[in-house]
Amino acid sequence: MLEHDVLIIGAGLAGMRAAIAAKANGANTAIISKVHPVRSHSNAAQGGINAALTDRGDNWEDHAYDTIKGSDFLGDQDAIEVMCRAAGRSLIDMEHMGVTFNRDEEGHLGTRAFGGQRRARTFFVGDFTGQALLHVMFEQLIKSGIQSYEEWFVTSLVQEEGRVCGVVALEIRTGQLHAIRAKTVIFCTGGLGRVFEPSTNALIVTGDGMALAYHAGARLMDMEMVQYHPTTLAGSGVLISEAARGEGAYLLDKNGERFMKKYAPNMMELASRDVVSRSEQTEINAGNGVNGCVYLDCRHLGEKLIKEKLSQIREIGIDLAGADMVKEPIPIRPGMHYMMGGIKTDVNGLTNLPGVYAAGECACVSVHGGNRLGANSLLDTIVFGERSGSHAAAAAGELKFVDFSAAAAVQREEQRIQAMLNRPQNGDRVASVRLGMGESMNRNLAVFRQKTGMEETVQELQELKARFAKVPVENKGKVFNTDLVFALELGFMLDCAETIAVSALERKDSRGAQFRTDYPKRDDENWLKHIAVTKGEVGPEISHLPVTITKWTPEERKY
Ligand SMILES: Cc1cc2nc3c(=O)[nH]c(=O)nc-3n(C[C@H](O)[C@H](O)[C@H](O)COP(=O)(O)OP(=O)(O)OC[C@H]3O[C@@H](n4cnc5c(N)ncnc54)[C@H](O)[C@@H]3O)c2cc1C
């Protein structure tokens, strides 16, 4: 049987960083990914990565404070300290590995301003930073000789003797199922963007890891905290990076007014994302937008800067909305972008399940609390990817493999999948169940929420789950059966959707990304706490966890 000390599920930035760290710590390490590693969603990151470099007059404590304020004081401050202290070294490590960050006129690493931060501390490569980081990380993965199972889809975990001791995965190219034994498993499976429709996330971002961990007994936390990004393109919902506003772009209403002066007179367009998205939606709802959008105006930045630093988003505007930002404002609106919540871990990536770790967007350490600052996510993946890889390797050194029957584990999965393939055609489609879910989430769990809307979605999710249990998989073949993969992903997404909706209903205040029109105030007395959800006998079970506060006392947030 295939076996490894440390098995990492997911080969985005978090996964590859974890793998390199685990291998460097002497573990027999493997990484598994449902797509080729450089097709992971990390590749799509545009704007940059944050770090406070002391030789640039910055310091980690300012970065930590901005992050905590951005989180609306829901982030765990011990974890934020760890991340912000490690940021400088992590960034320089990436540079030394070969990332060609933009530089300023004097030859120093260049920075751009990003939202919710008092200082420009976002390092970048044009507007394709994620791609630059991911490709360099992939080179390091190859160099280190780590075993990589590419286009293998993890369908379930194997649990014996009270431990997660391996996984079953579908080799997409052949349709063959394999069991892999592991002493420790690290989830680096990314976010769940596609639970909402539309979303800025790639179609593969379907919350698989969160759902798998949840089913195995892991605790999910802060699942109500879903980030709507202020600038997603009209129609397609594709991301227009915050880098545009970082470089100085304006947000305009239908009369050409910079409406942010009403909501964030100091930071204007660079207030934190939750604040900007809410302001835009307020204007749109008041009839001050155009076709459900407001405008992003970059014209005054000039053609030279746009071509040099924002070339990719300019092309996106031209190709997908027929608007050239050099010549005209482009229509944008808030759109689902990022999941602050996820599998609850400590600062070493360890979850409540022995030997199971998580890092990156699927994890909730929680450094983002109620609202993530732009460019803190790439940082999160690198810092906590590395920590979880090192810690899992050390833990694996103390553990023995659990002996389980690979044949039996594979057979169980084969039967489950065959039953899906055997379902009769009944007119329903995976795609329509998926769209029903995404639209319901986007209708009732978006920028503004309230009880009856969210209850409606909980109800609709039950109906969608019933349809999912019968939905046919049209392709019965073995080779690259993407129909089957989409169906399995939909199951994961429906579970994630449910945890989001019940967590949001539980939180009866407005904080960070969650704004409830029926509870419009932040209520620290009753709700300065995390909402956790675990899988119970009949459905999600909710509990509360304290927020770790080190030295920054919660205060009212103003930008
Ligand atoms: C358009 C866009 C732009 C962004 N820009 C920025 C930015 O400028 N700065 C910033 O800080 N953040 C940005 N973000 C957020 C950031 O990119 C992500 O949070 C981060 O890259 C997630 O990395 P990850 O390693 O956790 O997951 P991902 O990169 O999403 O990788 C997940 C991995 O898990 C694998 N996987 C998932 N399920 C399975 C399964 N069942 N079996 C096997 N493998 C599986 C996938 O194949 C993939 O390899 C952006 C996000 C988007 C969508």
Side-chain angles (χ1 to χ4, degrees):
M1 174 160 36
L2 304 168
E3 61 180 32
H4 301 282
D5 296 338
V6 180
L7 178 64
I8 293 141
I9 313 177
L13 274 175
M16 289 204 265
R17 190 69 195 87
I20 292 162
K23 178 79 194 283
N25 282 278
N28 166 356
T29 304
I31 193 163
I32 182 164
S33 172
K34 66 180 177 179
V35 295
H36 184 278
V38 298
R39 300 181 73 96
S40 302
H41 187 65
S42 293
N43 193 54
Q46 300 174 345
I49 175 167
N50 290 333
L53 299 187
T54 36
D55 60 359
R56 307 295 290 278
D58 202 353
N59 68 76
W60 73 265
E61 279 160 307
D62 283 358
H63 183 193
Y65 174 74
D66 289 344
T67 301
I68 291 163
K69 182 177 170 189
S71 83
D72 216 351
F73 296 90
L74 188 67
D76 283 335
Q77 297 183 6
D78 55 341
I80 291 171
E81 288 190 18
V82 167
M83 180 175 81
C84 295
R85 275 178 202 266
R89 187 189 54 78
S90 299
L91 181 88
I92 301 301
D93 279 354
M94 292 301 302
E95 216 263 334
H96 289 176
M97 283 181 193
V99 178
T100 50
F101 287 107
N102 275 48
R103 288 178 177 268
D104 62 18
E105 275 81 50
E106 285 152 17
H108 293 125
L109 293 183
T111 49
R112 63 165 47 122
F114 246 53
Q117 307 192 59
R118 293 161 297 165
R119 180 186 272 280
R121 63 166 74 90
T122 303
F123 297 86
F124 63 100
V125 185
D127 57 356
F128 41 84
T129 310
Q131 185 178 359
L133 293 174
L134 196 68
H135 280 255
V136 164
M137 203 65 94
F138 185 59
E139 290 164 11
Q140 300 295 315
L141 189 84
I142 301 273
K143 183 174 154 195
S144 65
I146 290 164
Q147 167 77 49
S148 171
Y149 300 100
E150 289 163 14
E151 298 183 325
W152 282 38
F153 181 92
V154 175
T155 62
S156 67
L157 303 180
V158 181
Q159 279 176 292
E160 300 272 346
E161 298 173 16
R163 252 180 66 197
V164 172
C165 49
V167 307
V168 177
L170 175 75
E171 187 180 354
I172 299 175
R173 190 169 57 85
T174 60
Q176 205 186 334
L177 285 160
H178 304 267
I180 309 178
R181 206 194 322 260
K183 290 182 182 167
T184 57
V185 170
I186 311 180
F187 281 99
C188 297
T189 43
L192 51 63
R194 285 289 158 176
V195 166
F196 291 70
E197 204 57 52
S199 162
T200 65
N201 288 196
L203 290 168
I204 53 171
V205 184
T206 50
D208 309 4
M210 293 183 214
L212 284 164
Y214 174 69
H215 278 278
R219 189 183 283 144
L220 305 183
M221 191 169 91
D222 295 346
M223 292 300 282
E224 73 279 22
M225 296 304 180
V226 177
Q227 179 163 80
Y228 270 62
H229 192 290
T231 54
T232 72
L233 197 60
S236 62
V238 171
L239 183 74
I240 301 296
S241 172
E242 188 164 308
R245 282 171 291 135
E247 299 291 347
Y250 301 147
L251 289 170
L252 305 178
D253 66 13
K254 68 173 181 195
N255 303 316
E257 285 293 316
R258 286 178 73 189
F259 57 85
M260 282 309 298
K261 62 177 180 269
K262 287 192 263 179
Y263 303 94
N266 298 319
M267 301 284 276
M268 295 290 285
E269 283 85 356
L270 286 178
S272 65
R273 288 179 174 174
D274 56 333
V275 171
V276 180
S277 285
R278 213 149 38 235
S279 310
E280 289 177 358
Q281 197 62 52
T282 306
E283 293 297 319
I284 293 166
N285 293 353
N288 297 330
V290 177
N291 296 329
C293 292
V294 289
Y295 287 114
L296 180 73
D297 190 358
C298 298
R299 288 172 299 181
H300 56 287
L301 303 179
E303 186 163 353
K304 182 167 179 286
L305 183 144
I306 292 175
K307 284 190 170 161
E308 242 172 60
K309 293 184 174 167
L310 304 171
S311 60
Q312 182 177 293
I313 56 175
R314 176 180 176 229
E315 276 171 34
I316 290 172
I318 295 172
D319 292 346
L320 302 179
D324 181 351
M325 61 167 64
V326 170
K327 301 191 190 117
E328 61 199 306
I330 55 171
I332 52 84
R333 64 181 178 207
M336 192 292 174
H337 180 57
Y338 182 83
M339 180 38 137
M340 269 74 74
I343 307 162
K344 155 93 179 114
T345 72
D346 68 10
V347 293
N348 299 322
L350 186 62
T351 70
N352 59 315
L353 303 177
V356 178
Y357 294 74
E361 192 170 337
C362 72
C364 179
V365 192
S366 90
V367 285
H368 310 301
N371 171 69
R372 168 175 75 85
L373 294 184
N376 260 357
S377 172
L378 294 181
L379 178 62
D380 167 9
T381 64
I382 305 281
V383 170
F384 294 103
E386 182 180 4
R387 289 177 76 91
S388 60
S390 314
H391 283 268
E398 311 283 309
L399 290 167
K400 289 201 166 48
F401 285 110
V402 174
D403 192 23
F404 67 86
S405 158
V410 165
Q411 200 190 18
R412 267 199 306 275
E413 269 313 83
E414 264 167 5
Q415 283 168 353
R416 184 173 76 95
I417 287 171
Q418 196 55 50
M420 289 175 78
L421 294 171
N422 290 346
R423 286 177 197 158
Q425 298 297 334
N426 61 8
D428 206 357
R429 303 289 298 264
V430 166
S432 62
V433 179
R434 180 164 165 160
L435 187 62
M437 167 192 65
E439 290 183 338
S440 181
M441 295 297 283
N442 193 48
R443 188 166 62 246
N444 292 323
L445 285 121
V447 174
F448 292 112
R449 303 170 170 184
Q450 43 84 21
K451 182 166 181 276
T452 44
M454 292 192 283
E455 283 173 351
E456 175 186 88
T457 290
V458 169
Q459 179 60 36
E460 283 171 1
L461 288 172
Q462 291 311 317
E463 291 155 20
L464 290 161
K465 278 190 164 188
R467 278 170 64 190
F468 171 69
K470 295 197 187 122
V471 75
V473 178
E474 276 162 53
N475 183 354
K476 315 287 179 202
K478 287 272 182 211
V479 177
F480 272 101
N481 189 344
T482 46
D483 251 10
L484 173 63
V485 171
F486 289 163
L488 292 165
E489 287 175 338
L490 178 58
F492 295 141
M493 284 194 278
L494 285 164
D495 288 331
C496 291
E498 187 175 35
T499 64
I500 295 169
V502 296
S503 302
L505 268 168
E506 173 72 4
R507 173 173 290 289
K508 292 175 189 64
D509 80 339
S510 289
R511 176 183 306 270
Q514 158 133 321
F515 191 96
R516 287 190 59 158
T517 51
D518 46 356
Y519 296 97
K521 290 263 175 310
R522 194 178 91 188
D523 172 5
D524 281 354
E525 205 172 306
N526 297 303
W527 293 101
L528 179 56
K529 56 189 176 188
H530 296 290
I531 291 169
V533 47
T534 47
K535 186 169 174 289
E537 291 282 298
V538 285
E541 276 174 11
I542 297 274
S543 56
H544 297 159
L545 294 171
V547 174
T548 306
I549 296 193
T550 55
K551 57 180 174 189
W552 290 277
T553 315
E555 62 199 16
E556 193 193 340
R557 215 160 50 125
K558 288 204 187 90
Y559 284 103

